[in-house]
Amino acid sequence: MKLPYTFESSITSNNRLTIPTMLTYIEPGDRIEGYIQLLSDDKTYPFDKKLSSSRHITIGHIKSFLPDKRLPSRIRVTVQKIHKSISEALEFNLVSYRDISGNYTMNYSTIKPVVSEQLLLDNFTQDFFVAFFANTEAEINQFLEPFYVEETKKWVSPVNLLIDDEFGAPIPVLLFLVLSQDYYQKFNDRISKIEHLIQRLSNWIYELDDFNMETLSKLSSQLQDIIEHNKEPDYLDMKTILSLPDLRREIALIVLKEHRNGGINLDTLLTQVKATKQKISVEIDELVKDSILRLFEDGDSTIIDTLWKI
């Protein structure tokens, strides 16, 4: 099977989507990453899901990316990446903790940590945030001291990211890279590339809600590509942006300028770009598929924003 692979599927009465039987390479426990499209429009909506034992995808969480949070009876699915369960369970996991309604809670994991690991991460997070708010003037490194989990034979490398809240006070988000011994060695060998990626992410961060399933799953895949394959994302610096085709360059520059305002309303963008709506939509879709830009719903508006590759 060549990726990306696109197919259409009906949604069952219990909100499950079935992987076609011919895709035998995708097995229970594998995590698949890609995007969905409604048959009524051309917009793309990301998903990232681990398959159940029956090779179904329970897609309730996908609704949060869809207009009106409603699932149609039939959708088009494109699988971009497959993360095999065996190597993932043994080698790598990204776990995120952030403030949610006043509680510091695990809001993402590439795979669910085993109980002993999660208990250690919970305790580390609690101790870190208590110490942080007890001494807000202390300077804290971005990459914290790694520690070893004896029971699972894993290394954990915590990463501290600070983001200003609405009053300008710094609020931490903790990312944990949970690594096998082999991956931990690769992690140390490739630390400069990992630091570069994390710095770009840190520069991109706008608000706490940026740490959601969509962005963290992209970050997880990029970290795994660096650690496992020594492959960085294709970053776009200003020289590269200026060399893009005219329409794509115009869109990218407008959206990049608006990032610190939380992105730009799609309807507003359409009025600023001198091209037909169809041509603009095609270019935006390509930029979204390349993880350069992202689209999301904010109330009744569709917002377009950058990602950290640009």
Side-chain angles (χ1 to χ4, degrees):
M1 181 187 70
K2 294 183 178 179
L3 297 179
Y5 183 89
T6 300
F7 62 94
E8 291 186 12
S9 179
S10 298
I11 304 299
T12 63
S13 59
N14 55 357
N15 282 346
R16 289 184 173 182
L17 181 154
T18 303
I19 296 295
T21 55
M22 74 282 293
L23 301 183
T24 55
Y25 177 73
I26 303 179
E27 301 171 318
D30 290 350
R31 184 168 64 88
I32 62 175
E33 180 183 344
Y35 58 89
I36 61 175
Q37 292 174 283
L38 308 185
L39 302 187
S40 58
D41 66 43
D42 294 325
K43 294 180 181 178
T44 59
Y45 305 92
F47 77 92
D48 182 300
K49 190 61 180 173
K50 183 177 179 180
L51 295 188
S52 68
S53 58
S54 57
R55 295 178 77 248
H56 287 109
I57 310 173
T58 54
I59 56 174
H61 75 284
I62 294 179
K63 290 195 295 185
S64 63
F65 298 116
L66 295 177
D68 302 323
K69 310 296 186 290
R70 295 177 183 174
L71 285 171
S73 60
R74 194 169 181 84
I75 59 176
R76 183 177 297 113
V77 181
T78 296
V79 178
Q80 292 178 297
K81 290 187 177 182
I82 301 170
H83 304 274
K84 300 302 290 179
S85 61
I86 296 176
S87 62
E88 207 172 62
L90 293 175
E91 306 289 352
F92 172 85
N93 193 9
L94 174 69
V95 184
S96 168
Y97 283 75
R98 51 151 289 198
D99 177 87
I100 300 176
S101 302
N103 296 310
Y104 290 93
T105 306
M106 186 177 75
N107 70 307
Y108 176 84
S109 61
T110 310
I111 56 174
K112 182 174 176 58
V114 298
V115 174
S116 58
E117 288 175 356
Q118 183 167 344
L119 181 60
L120 284 172
L121 299 185
D122 288 347
N123 291 337
F124 184 101
T125 300
Q126 179 68 25
D127 293 344
F128 175 84
F129 284 115
V130 168
F132 177 86
F133 289 112
N135 187 5
T136 56
E137 301 300 320
E139 186 172 340
I140 303 175
N141 292 331
Q142 190 167 73
F143 283 78
L144 307 177
E145 190 69 27
F147 59 90
Y148 187 66
V149 184
E150 180 64 39
E151 184 175 336
T152 58
K153 310 299 182 187
K154 300 282 184 65
W155 282 94
V156 178
S157 179
V159 181
N160 164 47
L161 298 173
L162 295 179
I163 178 171
D164 290 342
D165 66 11
E166 56 186 314
F167 305 108
I171 301 293
V173 173
L174 278 180
L175 304 178
F176 295 96
L177 279 70
V178 184
L179 308 162
S180 68
Q181 182 64 52
D182 178 54
Y183 265 43
Y184 184 60
Q185 182 60 54
K186 293 179 179 178
F187 166 84
N188 287 321
D189 292 342
R190 294 154 188 174
I191 187 63
S192 62
K193 292 181 179 178
I194 294 169
E195 288 175 340
H196 185 200
L197 173 60
I198 294 297
Q199 188 57 55
R200 291 187 71 104
L201 173 73
S202 182
N203 292 340
W204 168 81
I205 293 167
Y206 173 70
E207 59 184 4
L208 278 176
D209 286 343
D210 287 336
F211 292 96
N212 54 42
M213 179 174 291
E214 176 195 358
T215 56
L216 288 167
S217 65
K218 290 182 188 300
L219 177 65
S220 174
S221 294
Q222 291 171 359
L223 284 166
Q224 193 161 4
D225 279 343
I226 292 175
I227 295 171
E228 185 171 357
H229 304 296
N230 201 20
K231 180 183 177 183
E232 288 187 280
D234 296 324
Y235 300 126
L236 279 72
D237 57 18
M238 188 54 67
K239 181 179 179 181
T240 308
I241 296 170
L242 294 175
S243 68
L244 293 173
D246 291 349
L247 182 53
R248 189 169 297 194
R249 178 180 69 245
E250 185 177 3
I251 294 169
L253 288 173
I254 291 173
V255 178
L256 185 60
K257 182 180 178 182
E258 295 295 329
H259 173 62
R260 286 301 169 189
N261 295 320
I264 183 171
N265 187 296
L266 183 58
D267 291 335
T268 303
L269 176 69
L270 291 172
T271 66
Q272 295 185 13
V273 179
K274 296 179 180 178
T276 66
K277 182 177 179 180
Q278 182 178 5
K279 288 183 178 179
I280 296 171
S281 296
V282 168
E283 293 299 333
I284 288 174
D285 279 347
E286 290 303 313
L287 290 165
V288 169
K289 290 175 185 177
D290 290 341
S291 298
I292 294 170
L293 301 182
R294 62 171 180 153
L295 285 169
F296 61 95
E297 302 298 320
D298 184 11
D300 295 330
S301 300
T302 300
I303 306 299
I304 182 167
D305 193 12
T306 61
L307 283 167
W308 52 88
K309 284 175 64 174
I310 187 170

